[in-house]
């Protein structure tokens, strides 16, 4: 074997996990984003008592692929007076920032690109926030009023809610005492509890801030259809629009992964240290096999022959995945892969649950007005996050200095945080009521 | 080898985009080149194994300050404003500052070997992968030996924040009345 080939082989042996995961992230995330869109449309349809996309594939299962092909072959329009270079480049910034920040994440204990970065969680947050550069520049370069107002709104929203989100993250970082992603999850395993139970206010603040950061309803002011057409994306079409879209959905996956890592126990299964619940390790294979069985059951009821075949194909794919999960249990040399596979399953399950909550909120809550959004961010969320950081710190101090029980300390300080939040809401309500009565008085004077 | 390649790449990118930042006519283009300059400097930090400075540079400068810069550029029509408030003595002052800076740099480079501690050249640098983790070291030194300067800086920032809030509030009140 020539030395070059040997060097290459050695390189591959050292880096194959990183390479495979990197390729998977770049190649599969767009597909996942497409199916998240389909799920969202189906869910919206369900909540509004409709069927949603049904035409392409059984129950519209091939709709994302049809949409992707349509977007790829659409005409790419560049407005005449736009700044063409920035207009071309801006969507790429959005997409690249989201994918790069995924590089530092751990999808399960062994699936990752970058190995154990010392500032891992900060890297994810910092780099994913660069995506807003793409939004701002795209809105500015379009040379259109709708775009620029959408971009300015998104900037203001970013500045307000990133502060709250960053402060919310600090509460979990205080509890884990590290910035390494792997060590954060290990801390939750050695504490025998997910941090959502230790810092519930922090999790809630991060949930709200992450919805606002990903520009989703009820905080989707930057692209409010009824006011701004499509916000910063108004002038975009075809593939560039698709890039923005992908960036947005990748960002959703990123914030969901950050929340999962920090608050929901990462890749730990429920009750990771309780031994009589060890049968939960078989659950991933079982669940996927059940989905496959359901597909077989539904296959007989499809009206068109192609759809029957497609259902069978999906069922076989599910069985194959379930088999992959089961193989390490049977083949002894692969036993070490169990934790990796199950970890990935639980991690992705939690991420999906988080994204599902996003969708659920989107169809349940009406959109905020812009001043309400700013008030919520600056008058309630940021003070709440600051008080929460303070409370968690005080609780840890009580535990280490005065020997309090950790739960007692955290319950006391959380109660304090909640009291402060109630006070904040009360003050805000009073101010809002005063403002309404003031405007009512002026309109009365005009009427009289 | 790889280290020096990375250094020259990031340094070249930083210098090139800094030059472009100064020479572009369009303010937004200047802002973008400032962003690339800052990112390249962050890359140099990372190449020096200062991972906390690297990410702090990205979060604070690119994610925070540059967003505000671009925000202001979009809100204010700078193309008009610049022509109105052009500073007459700009060329003279710029020339003087450039000469002073150039002299300073030349003197430092010439005297580099004679400065205490060997000046700019570190004869025996530590192995990069043997260095202690940068975030922890930074936190330790900030909260032990440099606690007083750290607190002074934070109080200063707090005062600035309160001051800006008060100023913004006052103007709003006069607008409404």
């Amino acid at each position: 074997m020539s030395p070059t080939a040997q060097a290459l082989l050695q390189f591959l042996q050292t880096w194959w996990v990183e390479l495979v995961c990197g390729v998977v992230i770049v190649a599969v995330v767009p597909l996942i984003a497409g199916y998240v869109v389909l799920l969202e449309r189906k869910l919206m349809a369900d909540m509004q008592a409709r069927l949603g996309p049904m035409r392409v594939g059984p129950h519209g299962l091939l709709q994302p692929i049809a949409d992707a092909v349509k977007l790829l072959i659409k005409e790419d329009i560049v407005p005449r007076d736009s700044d063409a270079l920035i207009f071309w480049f801006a969507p790429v910034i959005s997409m690249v920032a989201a994918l790069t920040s995924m590089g530092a994440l751990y999808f399960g204990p062994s699936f990752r690109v970058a190995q154990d970065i010392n500032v891992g969680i900060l890297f994810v947050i910092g780099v994913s926030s660069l995506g807003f550069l793409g939004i701002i520049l795209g809105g500015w370069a379009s040379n259109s009023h709708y775009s620029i107002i959408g971009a300015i709104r998104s900037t203001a929203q970013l500045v307000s809610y990133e502060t709250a989100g960053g402060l919310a993250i600090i509460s979990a970082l205080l509890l884990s005492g590290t910035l390494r992603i792997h060590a954060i999850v290990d801390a939750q395993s050695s504490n025998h509890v997910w941090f959502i139970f230790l810092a519930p206010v922090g999790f809630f603040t991060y949930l709200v801030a992450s919805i606002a950061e990903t520009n989703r309803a009820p905080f989707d002011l930057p692209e409010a259809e009824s006011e701004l057409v499509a916000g910063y994306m108004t002038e975009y079409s075809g593939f560039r629009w698709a890039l923005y879209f992908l960036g947005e959905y990748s960002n959703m996956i990123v914030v969901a992964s950050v929340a999962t890592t920090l608050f929901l126990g990462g890749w730990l299964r429920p009750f990771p240290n309780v031994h009589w619940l060890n049968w939960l390790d078989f659950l991933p294979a079982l669940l996927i096999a059940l989905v496959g069985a359901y597909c077989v059951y539904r296959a007989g009821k499809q009206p068109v022959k192609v759809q029957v075949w497609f259902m069978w194909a999906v069922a076989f794919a599910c069985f194959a995945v379930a088999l992959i999960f089961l193989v390490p249990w049977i083949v002894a040399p692969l036993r070490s892969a169990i934790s990796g596979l199950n970890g990935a399953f639980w991690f992705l399950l939690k991420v999906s649950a988080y994204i599902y909550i996003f969708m659920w909120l989107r169809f349940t809550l009406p959109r905020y007005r812009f001043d309400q959004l700013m008030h919520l961010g600056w008058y309630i969320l940021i003070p709440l996050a600051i008080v929460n950081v303070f409370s968690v710190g005080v609780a840890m101090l009580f535990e280490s200095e005065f020997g309090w029980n950790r739960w007692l300390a955290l319950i006391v300080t959380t109660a304090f945080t909640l009291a402060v939040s109630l006070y904040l809401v009360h003050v805000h309500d009073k101010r809002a009521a005063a403002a309404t009565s003031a405007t009512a008085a002026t309109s009365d004077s005009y009427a009289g | 080898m790889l280290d020096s390649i990375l250094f020259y790449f990031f340094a070249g990118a930083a210098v090139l985009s800094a030059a472009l930042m100064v020479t572009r006519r369009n303010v937004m283009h200047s802002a973008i080149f400032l962003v690339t300059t800052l990112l390249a400097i962050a890359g140099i930090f990372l190449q020096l194994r200062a991972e906390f400075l690297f990410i702090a540079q990205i979060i604070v400068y690119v994610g925070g300050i540059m967003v505000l810069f671009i925000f202001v550029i979009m809100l204010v029509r700078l193309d008009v404003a610049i022509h109105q408030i052009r500073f007459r003595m700009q060329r003279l002052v710029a020339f003087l500052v450039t000469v002073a800076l150039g002299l300073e740099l030349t003197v430092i480079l010439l005297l580099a070997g004679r400065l205490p501690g060997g000046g700019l050249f570190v004869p025996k640098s530590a192995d990069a992968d043997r260095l202690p983790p940068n975030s922890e070291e930074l936190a330790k030194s900030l909260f032990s030996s440099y606690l007083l300067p750290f607190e002074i800086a934070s109080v200063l920032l707090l005062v600035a924040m309160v001051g800006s809030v008060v100023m913004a509030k006052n103007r709003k009140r006069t607008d409404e009345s």
Side-chain angles (χ1 to χ4, degrees):
Chain A
M1 200 187 278
S2 69
T4 331
Q6 217 158 17
L8 195 69
L9 206 68
Q10 201 178 4
F11 177 80
L12 284 180
Q13 258 173 0
T14 337
W15 298 103
W16 71 273
V17 180
E18 285 81 358
L19 284 172
V20 168
C21 288
V23 170
V24 164
I25 283 180
V26 174
V28 175
V29 161
L31 193 69
I32 293 178
Y35 276 92
V36 170
V37 174
L38 177 69
L39 178 69
E40 193 165 5
R41 291 176 64 184
K42 280 299 209 186
L43 203 67
M44 174 156 50
D46 195 39
M47 288 200 177
Q48 298 166 350
R50 299 183 283 119
L51 284 175
M54 289 294 279
R55 299 278 174 174
V56 194
H59 291 268
L61 269 178
L62 294 178
Q63 184 73 42
I65 293 160
D67 281 345
V69 171
K70 182 199 78 178
L71 283 173
L72 276 175
I73 56 179
K74 246 175 132 175
E75 188 190 352
D76 181 21
I77 301 166
V78 180
R80 195 175 45 203
D81 283 336
S82 67
D83 196 316
L85 199 65
I86 300 180
F87 187 82
W88 280 344
F89 200 62
V92 181
I93 300 177
S94 259
M95 180 78 191
V96 165
L99 286 182
T100 311
S101 64
M102 260 181 218
L105 285 169
Y106 271 68
F107 299 94
S110 44
F111 295 105
R112 78 279 183 284
V113 179
Q115 195 173 14
D116 209 15
I117 305 178
N118 198 24
V119 285
I121 207 79
L122 283 184
F123 182 87
V124 175
I125 292 156
V127 173
S128 71
S129 74
L130 294 189
F132 277 80
L133 224 50
I135 293 179
I136 299 166
L137 292 178
W140 178 80
S142 302
N143 195 25
S144 135
H145 293 289
Y146 292 129
S147 303
I148 210 160
I149 293 174
I152 288 176
R153 276 185 175 185
S154 99
T155 322
Q157 195 170 318
L158 157 83
V159 172
S160 327
Y161 280 84
E162 207 173 50
T163 322
L167 287 167
I169 284 164
I170 291 179
S171 60
L173 293 180
L174 273 176
L175 289 166
S176 64
T178 178
L179 293 170
R180 292 165 195 260
I181 291 180
H182 202 291
I184 290 170
V185 179
D186 286 345
Q188 302 185 55
S189 161
S190 61
N191 274 325
H192 300 270
V193 64
W194 297 353
F195 287 152
I196 180 177
F197 300 112
L198 291 179
V201 182
F203 176 72
F204 175 76
T205 322
Y206 186 73
L207 178 68
V208 177
S210 63
I211 298 170
E213 271 176 51
T214 46
N215 289 336
R216 290 184 57 82
F219 302 114
D220 59 343
L221 273 302
E223 40 191 299
E225 294 94 348
S226 48
E227 303 160 26
L228 291 176
V229 190
Y232 60 89
M233 300 200 264
T234 306
E235 302 294 336
Y236 280 87
S237 62
F239 190 56
R240 278 169 221 296
W241 186 84
L243 277 181
Y244 265 133
F245 212 67
L246 279 181
E248 200 172 299
Y249 278 85
S250 315
N251 229 345
M252 258 168 74
I253 298 175
V254 169
V255 292
S257 307
V258 169
T260 307
T261 310
L262 283 173
F263 293 103
L264 300 177
W267 53 82
L268 305 173
R269 67 153 206 253
F271 305 104
N273 305 311
V274 183
H275 284 293
W276 60 269
L277 280 174
N278 272 350
W279 54 269
L280 277 176
D281 285 343
F282 290 104
L283 205 63
L286 204 66
L287 278 178
I288 295 167
L290 271 178
V291 172
Y294 181 70
C295 284
V296 172
Y297 166 71
R298 292 294 301 186
K301 302 195 170 185
Q302 296 304 319
V304 187
K305 201 151 212 182
V306 183
Q307 300 194 338
V308 176
W309 291 345
F310 185 79
M311 259 344 207
W312 274 103
V314 173
F316 274 116
C318 285
F319 287 135
V321 174
L323 203 66
I324 292 175
F325 273 93
L326 276 182
V327 160
W329 291 98
I330 302 159
V331 188
L334 291 175
R335 207 43 66 86
S336 57
I338 292 175
S339 64
L341 281 175
N342 280 347
F345 174 81
W346 289 115
F347 189 85
L348 294 180
L349 191 72
K350 287 169 190 173
V351 168
S352 329
Y354 196 83
I355 292 176
Y356 180 75
I357 294 178
F358 269 28
M359 295 175 181
W360 199 42
L361 289 173
R362 174 175 172 182
F363 309 130
T364 326
L365 298 173
R367 183 180 294 137
Y368 273 82
R369 218 171 51 209
F370 197 72
D371 61 325
Q372 289 172 333
L373 175 97
M374 283 292 135
H375 276 249
L376 180 72
W378 286 101
Y379 287 125
I380 296 182
L381 222 50
I382 291 178
L384 187 61
I386 293 175
V387 171
N388 182 46
V389 168
F390 175 74
S391 301
V392 173
V394 167
M396 294 184 66
L397 203 68
F398 277 163
E399 193 197 349
S400 62
E401 300 294 316
F402 305 112
W404 282 32
N405 184 359
R406 161 171 283 195
W407 283 100
L408 179 71
L410 279 165
I411 287 170
V412 169
T413 49
T414 304
F416 172 68
T417 317
L418 289 178
V420 170
S421 70
L422 278 180
Y423 172 73
L424 285 171
V425 171
H426 172 69
V427 167
H428 182 252
D429 277 358
K430 226 160 82 178
R431 189 180 289 142
T436 354
S437 63
T439 44
T442 46
S443 58
D444 271 2
S445 68
Y446 275 106
Chain B
M1 176 61 190
L2 186 64
D3 257 2
S4 47
I5 292 175
L6 282 177
F7 171 75
Y8 284 113
F9 171 73
F10 284 127
V15 171
L16 187 70
S17 43
L20 283 171
M21 193 271 282
V22 180
T23 49
R24 289 302 91 184
R25 290 255 152 186
N26 190 323
V27 196
M28 194 58 112
H29 291 184
S30 296
I32 294 168
F33 283 117
L34 185 54
V35 169
T36 44
T37 313
L38 293 169
L39 283 178
I41 291 169
I44 293 177
F45 280 142
L46 192 61
Q47 185 258 334
L48 294 170
R49 268 74 170 178
E51 76 275 349
F52 187 79
L53 283 184
F54 156 74
I55 200 63
Q57 169 96 0
I58 288 184
I59 291 179
V60 175
Y61 281 95
V62 186
I65 293 177
M66 282 319 293
V67 166
L68 287 179
F69 272 23
I70 294 177
F71 197 45
V72 171
I73 291 172
M74 290 204 316
L75 284 179
V76 185
R77 287 197 55 131
L78 280 179
D79 312 346
V80 183
I82 282 175
H83 288 293
Q84 286 167 350
I85 50 161
R86 179 168 280 168
F87 180 43
R88 283 281 179 78
M89 310 274 279
Q90 196 180 22
R91 279 170 190 239
L92 184 65
V93 174
F95 179 74
L96 287 179
V97 169
T98 316
V99 168
L101 200 66
L103 272 177
E104 203 176 342
L105 275 178
T106 323
V107 168
I108 287 177
L109 283 175
L110 283 179
L111 293 180
R114 280 180 239 163
L115 288 174
L120 294 175
F121 304 105
V122 183
K124 259 192 194 169
S125 56
D127 243 353
D129 21 335
R130 303 268 170 78
L131 292 173
N134 172 256
S135 331
E136 281 89 334
E137 289 302 310
L138 202 67
K140 271 180 208 153
S141 55
L142 262 188
F143 288 105
S144 58
S145 27
Y146 298 100
L147 187 60
L148 187 66
F150 178 76
E151 289 297 333
I152 291 173
S154 60
V155 168
L156 200 66
L157 286 176
L158 186 69
V159 169
M161 198 166 77
V162 172
S164 62
V165 168
V166 169
M167 277 166 70
K169 258 206 157 140
N170 271 343
R171 203 172 62 198
K172 202 175 168 191
R173 205 166 286 157
T174 48
D175 276 356
E176 272 170 6
S177 59

